[in-house]
Amino acid sequence: MERIPILKMGQVLLVTIQIDLYDRLALSLESDLVQMVKKTSAKGVLIDISAVSIVDSFLGRIFGNIASMCKILDAETVVVGMQPAVAITLIELGLPLTGVHTALDVEKGMILLNSNIETDVDTTDDLNEDDNYAF
Amino acid sequence: MVYDISKLLQKKKKSIIELWIKNQLSEAGLREDLISNEEIRQQSEELVDSLVNNLTQENITEVNSPDFDDVKDILSGISITRARQGFSPRETGAFIFGLKNALLELLQQEIKDDKESLYEATIKINRLLDSFSIVTFETFIKGREEVIIRQTDEITEISTPVIRVWDGILALPIIGTLDSARTQVVMENLLQEIVETGSSIAILDISGVPAVDSLIAQHLIKTVSATRLMGAECIISGIRPEIAQTIVHLGIDLSNIITKSTLASALKFSFQSLKLEVKRIPVKTAQ
Amino acid sequence: MIITLFKVSMRIERDQDVVPFRNRVKEYAVKIKMGIVNQTKLITAASELVRNMLKYAKGGEALIEIVTQGRYNGVRLSFKDQGSGISDIDLAMKDGYSTEKSLGLGLPGAKRLVDDFNIISNVGHGTTVVVIKWANG
């Protein structure tokens, strides 16, 4: 079965959705991501939806679930690149995706996640040396 | 003796056209600036041609007969162009009523001796031409409505300019009221511009909005939420004291939204969040 | 008066039918030159309604039509199922109401996304939802 690839970039997992998601694909993405976060102890998840033209309440709920589940595993989720038409539609639908961070593009999403991870370093100081990387 | 009006009109086509054009030209308010004499002649000839060619003894009393479709098409065409050219309803009306007067005048000349036939023919022509006048007015109004619709579209377009005030900061001054159609245009323009410029802050200035009711507030909240979904922050500025009062009295919750009283303070806030600083350069004095 | 210019009907039986159905709706919305935002709203509404039909009635019939009224063109979607029906439509149209574990946005959310929304339900016989989105609405 088809799967959405998950890339690991340092402490961040990067997912780029290139197609309109079939339900099963979306559900498997949810479980794969959560597994990956656990396995790699990633601190952030970045989902690029710039190529997604429709987000209905089903897919919106998947994003919300991913964010909540990752949060429990101590990773922040950022959804980036939402199309203007999709944003307007989600608001009208009544789905403001509360709890999910958003950013304009992958670059800005990375900056957002990194600033979260960095403050994490400052406060908890429980990260390894080789976790310092630059973008 | 029974007169065949259609035959009579066919025979006298030339004089009808002349009479009608004379009527139109003598009309006090003739708009020579909008239409030339040649154009009047051409339009009049076309219409009279079509009318006398399609008119028969039978259909003269049936104004809805498909025989007149051609006449009505020509009339609608003339009427709609006149509406667009800026003719007044009176001027457009004078056009078709001029034809009626010309026809009646002609009947009077031709059927001098038989009062009863003249009366009957006059009634028939009157009814027919009246129904044509209605067509003329219907299409005239439709033409005007189209102009209004086009202008409304243009106003919505031009009334929502998105201004790039700084690298990464957009401002959108809203003038006038915000209905749901306009909100959609505002949102579309703003979000599109955010994508194109990669801006992370948008300032919605409502100094030009006369009043804010709960519906308008809802539209504003929607715009802010949509901007946030895209990953940008949205600040509302230009809130006058009266508007702040109404918002609180109506029980509208804007606590999740960053609001500033002026565009300047919104800009200052934006600079801070983008970690920018505007400094006065110390001027070297002569001594 | 609304006149139908074109129509096509699709059987919806499985989750896999949702995306192909959405693609067909998009095709017709593009045909009548609907703007991108209205297109997205229509397709999202279609997605919500078709999912509703799958969830509560195990599928049904979806009809896509291109309609015209005066100088407006639009897309009309009809969803007809033979499910158990809705006993309290007013309640079903309330935001956040759901008999199953979902967000409860389906019906009220879809209604906000379209220009015209009609629902008829007979308990025990099924539900029909008809929506219209005008190209310039």
Side-chain angles (χ1 to χ4, degrees), chain A residues 47-52 55 63 79-91 95-97 100-105, chain B residues 191 194-195 225-226 228-231:
Chain A
I47 307 173
D48 177 14
I49 60 162
S50 53
V52 176
V55 177
F63 291 149
V79 170
V80 306
M82 188 183 289
Q83 302 264 350
V86 172
I88 295 173
T89 303
L90 278 178
I91 294 305
L95 205 69
L97 295 187
V100 182
H101 298 290
T102 52
L104 276 180
D105 50 38
Chain B
L191 300 193
I194 287 175
V195 173
S225 313
R228 284 187 182 156
L229 269 185
M230 304 272 307

Side-chain angles (χ1 to χ4, degrees), chain A residues 23-24 56-57 92-93, chain C residues 16 40 47-48 51 105 112:
Chain A
D23 295 11
R24 245 185 259 166
D56 60 3
S57 63
E92 210 65 59
L93 188 63
Chain C
Q16 286 95 309
T40 309
S47 190
E48 297 296 325
R51 280 187 199 287
L105 288 170
R112 282 193 293 269

Side-chain angles (χ1 to χ4, degrees), chain C:
Chain C
M1 196 181 62
I2 296 175
I3 303 158
T4 303
L5 299 179
F6 182 86
K7 65 169 134 186
V8 62
S9 126
M10 277 176 90
R11 283 290 314 161
I12 306 289
E13 278 156 354
R14 308 167 299 160
D15 285 348
Q16 286 95 309
D17 296 333
V18 174
V19 174
F21 171 72
R22 287 200 320 216
N23 292 341
R24 287 306 279 277
V25 174
K26 188 187 171 96
E27 219 174 276
Y28 294 112
V30 169
K31 235 179 226 171
I32 58 164
K33 300 194 176 64
M34 193 180 277
I36 180 77
V37 175
N38 282 338
Q39 245 184 62
T40 309
K41 285 184 176 177
L42 171 72
I43 301 165
T44 309
S47 190
E48 297 296 325
L49 294 170
V50 103
R51 280 187 199 287
N52 251 354
M53 197 161 76
L54 278 168
K55 189 156 53 180
Y56 298 106
K58 301 198 167 42
E61 191 84 24
L63 183 69
I64 312 170
E65 286 170 284
I66 292 182
V67 293
T68 177
Q69 182 180 41
R71 56 173 165 266
Y72 298 108
N73 289 323
V75 173
R76 176 161 66 190
L77 304 174
S78 315
F79 302 87
K80 199 174 177 169
D81 68 50
Q82 255 99 51
S84 51
I86 303 167
S87 53
D88 188 342
I89 288 185
D90 288 341
L91 189 61
M93 290 306 296
K94 259 207 190 107
D95 257 329
Y97 175 79
S98 175
T99 49
E100 294 200 11
K101 199 176 154 287
S102 73
L103 294 170
L105 288 170
L107 289 177
K111 186 179 177 178
R112 282 193 293 269
L113 294 175
V114 294
D115 298 316
D116 199 72
F117 184 99
N118 255 304
I119 180 165
I120 302 164
S121 191
N122 282 323
V123 175
H125 296 279
T127 306
T128 303
V129 180
V130 181
V131 301
I132 299 179
K133 185 91 190 158
W134 299 109
N136 27 13

Side-chain angles (χ1 to χ4, degrees), chain B residues 140-276:
Chain B
F140 183 82
I141 290 168
K142 213 169 122 199
R144 279 293 171 91
E145 273 171 357
E146 275 169 18
V147 173
I148 294 170
I149 288 169
R150 207 191 57 229
Q151 286 172 342
T152 315
D153 287 348
E154 277 168 11
I155 291 169
T156 16
E157 278 297 311
I158 56 173
S159 62
T160 52
V162 184
I163 306 158
R164 200 170 165 178
V165 283
W166 206 269
D167 199 24
I169 307 172
L170 296 177
L172 197 155
I174 300 174
I175 316 278
T177 187
L178 259 187
D179 56 12
S180 55
R182 186 134 180 252
T183 309
Q184 172 146 343
V185 176
V186 166
M187 269 203 236
E188 265 187 77
N189 289 351
L190 182 63
L191 300 193
Q192 197 54 49
E193 203 62 24
I194 287 175
V195 173
E196 270 162 32
T197 59
S199 301
S200 47
I201 297 180
I203 305 168
L204 220 55
D205 189 82
I206 59 165
S207 328
V209 178
V212 173
D213 56 14
S214 46
L215 201 66
I216 292 178
Q218 211 185 0
H219 290 321
L220 288 172
I221 293 170
K222 272 184 190 168
T223 310
V224 173
S225 313
T227 315
R228 284 187 182 156
L229 269 185
M230 304 272 307
E233 189 49 79
C234 190
I235 304 167
I236 296 182
S237 75
I239 302 179
R240 280 173 285 134
E242 313 87 89
I243 289 187
Q245 280 178 311
T246 1
I247 287 174
V248 172
H249 284 160
L250 289 172
I252 300 162
D253 182 17
L254 291 185
S255 56
N256 288 323
I257 293 173
I258 305 166
T259 50
K260 298 284 164 196
S261 62
T262 61
L263 184 63
S265 48
L267 196 57
K268 202 170 150 195
F269 177 87
S270 312
F271 283 153
Q272 277 167 3
S273 42
L274 291 179
K275 299 186 174 64
L276 293 170

Side-chain angles (χ1 to χ4, degrees), chain A residues 112-127:
Chain A
L112 181 67
L113 280 177
N114 276 339
S115 67
N116 281 345
I117 293 166
E118 270 162 30
T119 48
D120 230 31
V121 178
D122 293 341
T123 50
T124 56
D125 204 23
D126 63 348
L127 289 166

Side-chain angles (χ1 to χ4, degrees), chain B residues 107-125:
Chain B
L107 289 179
Q108 227 159 11
Q109 285 170 14
E110 294 298 313
I111 322 177
K112 269 196 218 105
D113 38 353
D114 187 345
K115 284 252 157 56
E116 206 163 301
S117 302
L118 175 61
Y119 177 71
E120 208 176 293
T122 308
I123 291 280
K124 281 177 182 168
I125 287 294

